[in-house]
Amino acid sequence: MKNKLILKHVSSTSKTLMILLIMLLVIAMSQGIIIAISHVIMMSRTRASQQACQEPVEDELTRIKRSEKHFMLDGTVHQMELVKDDFQRDDKKQKIRIYDVNDSLVWQGLKKEIPYQYLFWPEQLIRNWSWYDSYTFDERQMHNMLTVTPELSQSIEFPVRQNYEIKIIWRYIPDKEYFVAYNTQGGITGYLSTAGFTQQKSDTKGFGQFRLFTAWCPEDSINPVMLWQTDKKIYQIDFQKQTVELIFESEKEIVDNMSLKNWRFSDRENLDGIKYRPAILCRTRNGDQNLIMRQPEQVFTFSPPEVWDLKEQSIRLTATESEIYLLRSFRGPRVPGKCMNSDELFRQWRNQLLKKPRDRWIELYTIDEKGELYFISRYEWIEPPYKTIYTEQSVVDNVKYFVTDFSPPFYNILRQGLHKYWPNGIAGSENESIFKLCVALIQELRPRHIIINCSISFVLVLIALWHGLSRRDNWAVMIVWLAIVAVFNMAGFLTYWALNHRPVIKCPACGKKRGLAPERCVRCGAELPVPETREVDRVLIVPATAE
Amino acid sequence: MKFIALLKKELRECLPFLIGAAVLLLVLGTLFLRLDAPRTYGGLYPDFKPASAINIYQLKQSSSLSLVGSLLWIFSIALGLAIGIRQFWVAFYSRTWDFEICRPTRRAAVLTAKITAAIIGFVLSVGLVWSLFYWYASQSSIWFTPLTGRLLTKGWIFIALGFVVYLGVAVAGLSTERWYTTKLFSLGLVLIVYIACVSEWRLWLILIFLVIGILILLLQVTEKFLNRQL
C-alpha cells in the first residue's frame, strides 16, 4: 500500500513536470509564431510602401558612406566605389571608381587595373555559414559534426599524398584532442599532439580546447598545412613533415580572433604592389593586438592606450617589409549602459542616432618596435541621416512585448543569472545544443513589462483559486498549484487546468459545489452520496440459479 | 513460470514487427552498404593544389555506415511505435483489456513482461543487426581509417530513442484523457527528449536526457497500468 502511494505521488509529479514542459514549449511556439507573423506582415507593408516611393537620388554623402576607404603608404586616402549593377563573382573584374578626399574622380576602370598601391589588412578568419563552401572550421561546427544525427559519424581527416596517391590519413580524435595517422592498411603509424610526432599513444599531449582551424596547401606542396587555434595557443601543423609548431601563446588571455595576411601563400592584392611580411594578427580578450610575423620571425604585441575606447573603435595592424602600420577606425558611439537592458531605450537611442548625421573617421599610424605610435594621416567624413526610420521593428517589438506578457516571470531572473555566467551573451558563448536553444528562448521571450506580467500571473492565480476551491483535495496541494501558476504564468495555469479540471456536483449535505475526486466534501465533510440501488443492480447481485 | 509464459505471449504478439524490422534493416542496410562501398579515396581531394586554401567540406569524411545509420534511425522509431501500439492500444480497440489485466498473477508482472518483451525485441531485432553491421564494416572496411567506438554508441542511442518512443506510445495508450486534451502529451515529451539528444554532442549528457525521459515515462506507464480500470 505504501509503495502504491509513493508510486502515485512520484508518477503524478512526473506527469506534472511533463505537461509543464510541453505547455512551456507550446506557449513559446505560439509566441514565436505570433511574432513571426507580425514581422512578415510588417515587412510586406514596408516593401509595398518602398515600392510606392520614388527611388531616391543617391547624394554625395551616401556615396562616401558606401565607398571603401584605402590608405596609401604616404597616408593619402582614396575612396573606392563599386559601380552599381556590375556584380561580378570575380571581384577583380568589377568596375570601380576612385575618388580623392576632395571627392574628385581620379580614376575609373576594372579593379584589377588599379594604378595605385594601397595598404591591405589581414583578413579575419570567420566561420562561413555555408556547409559546403567554408575555409574555416570552428568549435561549433566540430560540435555539430559530433551530434547524434542520422548520418551518425563524421570525422576530420587530412590526407598526405605522394604523386597524388594517398599514403597516410591523419584523423582528429576530438575526445583525446590529438591526431592519429593511419596507413593504407589501416594501421596506426603515429600521433601528432603538442608533444610533436610520437609513435606511442602514451607520449601524446592533447592540444586543449579546440576553437578554430584553417588549412591550405603551401606553394610547394599538395599536402595540407593547418593553423590550429585553441583557447590560448595557435599551432601550425604540417602533416607531410609531421611537425607541430607553437607559433603563439597567450599566458592569461583567451585568443578572441585570428586574421591572416600572406601567411598561407602570397595574397592576390600584392602580386605587384607593396611587399608584405607573412603575418597573423590575433586579438586577445583584453584587447591586445598580437602580430606574429615571418621573414624574420617576430612577435609584436600592441596594447592600445587606455584612452582608446575599443567598444567604439577598431584596430588593425599589418606589416610590410619596412614598417608596421596601424589602422584605427571609429565605428560609432557605444551603446549607453542604461540601454543595454531595455529594448525600448535601445530602440529610442538608435533611432535618435540614425536621424542625425554621424561623424566617422579613420587614422593611419606606424609603430616602432617599442610600441611608439607615429601619426601619418586621418580622414573624416559624415554619414548622412537615414531618410526613413522604419517603424516596422517597433511594431514587431510591441507585438513581442504583448505576447511575452504571458511568459513566466522567472525568465527575467534566469536571464540575469545567465548573463552573469555568459557575459558575452549567447552569441559569444561556446555552448551549443539544447541549452543554447533554451537560453535563446529565455532571452527572446522574457517578459518586458514586469508589472503587466505579474498582474497577469496574479489574475491567473485568482482564476485557479476560484476554479480549485470546490475541486481541491487539500489546501497544501492547492497552494502548490497556485505557486506553480504564479511562477509559470500561462504555462502554469494551463498545466493546472489540464490536470485538475474535474466535474463538480452539488453536495447534498451543504448544497455547495464539490469535486468528485475527494471522498469527503471539502466544506462540510459529508461523504459522497451513494447512488440508489436500481433494478438492474439486483439482477447482477442475485445469482441466476436462485430462481 | 507465469512470468515466462506472459513474456512468451508478449514476444509472440510482437514477433511480426521484430522479424520485419530485423529483416528489412538487414536487407536494406546490406544494399546501402554495398552501394556505398565503391567509394574510395582515389577520387577525393581534387582541389588540393599548391597555393590553395582547402575547403573544409573536403576534409569531412562520413563513415561507411552513414546510410545504415539513417535506416536504423527510421526503424528504431517505427519499431517503438509498432510495439507500443500493439501492446497498449490494440487491447482497448479489440476490447481485450479485461483479459490483459485479469490473469492469475499481479498486474506488475504483466507490465514487466510487456516492457521486458519490448527491451528484448529492441536488442534482438535492431540492436543485434546494428552490431552485426558495425562488426562487418570494421572487418571489411575499405577505408584506411577504422570505425570509431563512438559510431557504435550513436547507433545504440538511436535504439534507446526508439524505446523512448515505445514508452511515449504506451503512456498515450493507457491514458484515459481525451485525445484533444493531454492524451498525446507523452509524445510531446518524446519529441523534447529527441530534440535534446540530437542537438547534443556530449554522450554523457545524451545519456542523462535519455534516462530522465525514460524515467518520467516509465513511472507514468507503471502508475497508469496498475490503476487503470476499464
Side-chain angles (χ1 to χ4, degrees), chain A residues 53-66:
Chain A
C53 293
Q54 208 180 348
E55 181 78 13
V57 180
E58 187 176 275
D59 58 16
E60 197 174 288
L61 287 179
T62 311
R63 183 187 57 70
I64 295 172
K65 178 190 164 191
R66 282 161 34 89

Side-chain angles (χ1 to χ4, degrees), chain A residues 226-262:
Chain A
M226 70 188 299
L227 277 175
W228 188 266
Q229 182 197 324
T230 62
D231 265 345
K232 294 178 181 174
K233 294 175 184 174
I234 299 171
Y235 297 93
Q236 181 157 307
I237 302 169
D238 190 324
F239 291 104
Q240 186 179 11
K241 293 175 185 164
Q242 301 182 340
T243 55
V244 177
E245 181 188 358
L246 176 65
I247 56 173
F248 178 74
E249 181 174 9
S250 167
E251 279 183 14
K252 288 179 185 168
E253 296 295 331
I254 288 174
V255 176
D256 250 357
N257 62 45
M258 190 163 60
S259 311
L260 305 184
K261 182 73 199 160
N262 257 15

Side-chain angles (χ1 to χ4, degrees), chain B:
Chain B
M1 278 310 282
K2 283 176 192 167
F3 178 76
I4 300 293
L6 281 170
L7 186 63
K8 278 182 184 171
K9 176 244 172 199
E10 293 298 337
L11 281 172
R12 195 170 53 244
E13 282 178 356
C14 297
L15 206 58
F17 303 109
L18 303 181
I19 292 176
V23 170
L24 273 174
L25 182 61
L26 197 65
V27 172
L28 291 176
T30 311
L31 198 70
F32 281 10
L33 200 61
R34 297 309 302 168
L35 281 176
D36 213 26
R39 286 198 304 172
T40 62
Y41 274 105
L44 295 176
Y45 314 118
D47 299 330
F48 282 33
K49 295 167 188 164
S52 63
I54 291 173
N55 189 338
I56 305 301
Y57 175 62
Q58 296 187 50
L59 297 172
K60 277 193 207 172
Q61 296 300 336
S62 299
S63 78
S64 50
L65 287 178
S66 59
L67 288 174
V68 182
S70 310
L71 280 177
L72 181 71
W73 172 64
I74 294 166
F75 278 99
S76 297
I77 292 172
L79 193 63
L81 281 170
I83 302 179
I85 289 170
R86 179 69 191 85
Q87 287 188 346
F88 296 98
W89 285 65
V90 170
F92 297 107
Y93 287 110
S94 60
R95 297 174 189 277
T96 53
W97 173 248
D98 295 349
F99 300 107
E100 292 273 339
I101 54 174
C102 299
R103 292 180 189 281
T105 181
R106 291 180 302 122
R107 273 200 199 191
V110 180
L111 179 66
T112 313
K114 281 181 185 292
I115 293 173
T116 312
I119 293 171
I120 292 172
F122 271 104
V123 172
L124 291 183
S125 175
V126 283
L128 190 67
V129 176
W130 166 245
S131 301
L132 271 173
F133 273 122
Y134 180 81
W135 173 81
Y136 172 75
S138 304
Q139 295 295 310
S140 60
S141 180
I142 54 158
W143 299 85
F144 300 0
T145 45
L147 300 177
T148 57
R150 194 182 174 91
L151 180 72
L152 184 68
T153 316
K154 280 182 176 181
W156 278 98
I157 287 169
F158 278 148
I159 295 165
L161 279 170
F163 183 66
V164 175
V165 171
Y166 159 78
L167 289 176
V169 173
V171 174
L174 291 168
S175 171
T176 49
E177 281 92 22
R178 294 182 189 279
W179 68 268
Y180 54 83
T181 57
T182 56
K183 188 176 178 75
L184 301 177
F185 269 36
S186 56
L187 297 178
L189 183 76
V190 171
L191 189 69
I192 292 174
V193 172
Y194 178 81
I195 292 170
C197 287
V198 296
S199 61
E200 184 53 62
W201 76 95
R202 288 160 289 200
L203 293 177
W204 62 271
L205 257 177
I206 295 174
L207 191 71
I208 289 176
F209 292 146
L210 281 171
V211 168
I212 291 173
I214 288 173
L215 212 61
I216 289 176
L217 292 169
L218 200 58
L219 280 168
Q220 289 183 63
V221 170
T222 312
E223 200 270 336
K224 283 180 194 298
F225 192 88
L226 297 189
N227 297 317
R228 174 152 181 172
Q229 298 303 316
L230 296 176

Side-chain angles (χ1 to χ4, degrees), chain A residues 213-416:
Chain A
F213 83 78
T214 185
W216 69 95
C217 292
E219 285 166 348
D220 56 352
S221 173
I222 57 164
N223 292 318
V225 172
M226 70 188 299
L227 277 175
W228 188 266
Q229 182 197 324
T230 62
D231 265 345
K232 294 178 181 174
K233 294 175 184 174
I234 299 171
Y235 297 93
Q236 181 157 307
I237 302 169
D238 190 324
F239 291 104
Q240 186 179 11
K241 293 175 185 164
Q242 301 182 340
T243 55
V244 177
E245 181 188 358
L246 176 65
I247 56 173
F248 178 74
E249 181 174 9
S250 167
E251 279 183 14
K252 288 179 185 168
E253 296 295 331
I254 288 174
V255 176
D256 250 357
N257 62 45
M258 190 163 60
S259 311
L260 305 184
K261 182 73 199 160
N262 257 15
W263 187 268
R264 297 174 285 193
F265 33 81
S266 295
D267 290 346
R268 288 178 299 174
E269 290 95 351
N270 50 290
L271 287 176
D272 50 338
I274 301 163
K275 299 292 176 202
Y276 291 93
R277 288 170 70 181
I280 298 173
L281 178 64
C282 70
R283 190 185 68 197
T284 45
R285 203 156 275 183
N286 62 348
D288 282 0
Q289 305 276 341
N290 303 281
L291 196 64
I292 305 140
M293 294 169 280
R294 291 267 160 94
Q295 301 168 6
E297 287 191 14
Q298 185 188 355
V299 177
F300 175 76
T301 301
F302 174 72
S303 302
E306 283 181 11
V307 288
W308 290 11
D309 188 342
L310 295 179
K311 297 222 164 134
E312 293 184 344
Q313 300 159 19
S314 65
I315 297 170
R316 286 199 281 176
L317 282 87
T318 194
T320 64
E321 285 181 342
S322 53
E323 296 280 2
I324 296 174
Y325 290 89
L326 181 144
L327 179 76
R328 180 184 171 208
S329 49
F330 180 67
R331 294 183 298 192
R334 71 191 306 179
V335 182
K338 63 178 181 180
C339 300
M340 296 288 271
N341 290 324
S342 164
D343 292 351
E344 182 65 33
L345 286 175
F346 175 76
R347 198 174 62 234
Q348 283 173 8
W349 171 81
R350 190 201 58 188
N351 288 351
Q352 285 299 319
L353 193 75
L354 296 179
K355 278 179 194 166
K356 288 187 268 181
R358 298 173 306 281
D359 294 330
R360 291 284 184 275
W361 51 260
I362 47 172
E363 289 176 349
L364 183 70
Y365 298 83
T366 56
I367 317 175
D368 67 12
E369 288 186 353
K370 292 173 189 167
E372 286 288 323
L373 286 164
Y374 299 95
F375 176 77
I376 300 179
S377 177
R378 177 184 171 100
Y379 174 63
E380 294 177 8
W381 72 96
I382 294 171
E383 280 191 1
Y386 276 66
K387 289 192 181 76
T388 323
I389 307 289
Y390 295 120
T391 52
E392 83 273 11
Q393 194 56 43
S394 62
V395 174
V396 173
D397 282 351
N398 285 338
V399 172
K400 187 193 281 182
Y401 293 174
F402 172 72
V403 296
T404 53
D405 286 339
F406 296 92
S407 295
F410 76 93
Y411 276 5
N412 272 322
I413 302 162
L414 258 180
R415 181 180 170 261
Q416 282 166 2

Side-chain angles (χ1 to χ4, degrees), chain A residues 30-46 391-403:
Chain A
S30 312
Q31 288 170 324
I33 289 167
I34 293 168
I35 294 166
I37 289 171
S38 71
H39 194 70
V40 170
I41 292 170
M42 289 315 297
M43 285 289 281
S44 58
R45 277 193 189 177
T46 309
T391 52
E392 83 273 11
Q393 194 56 43
S394 62
V395 174
V396 173
D397 282 351
N398 285 338
V399 172
K400 187 193 281 182
Y401 293 174
F402 172 72
V403 296

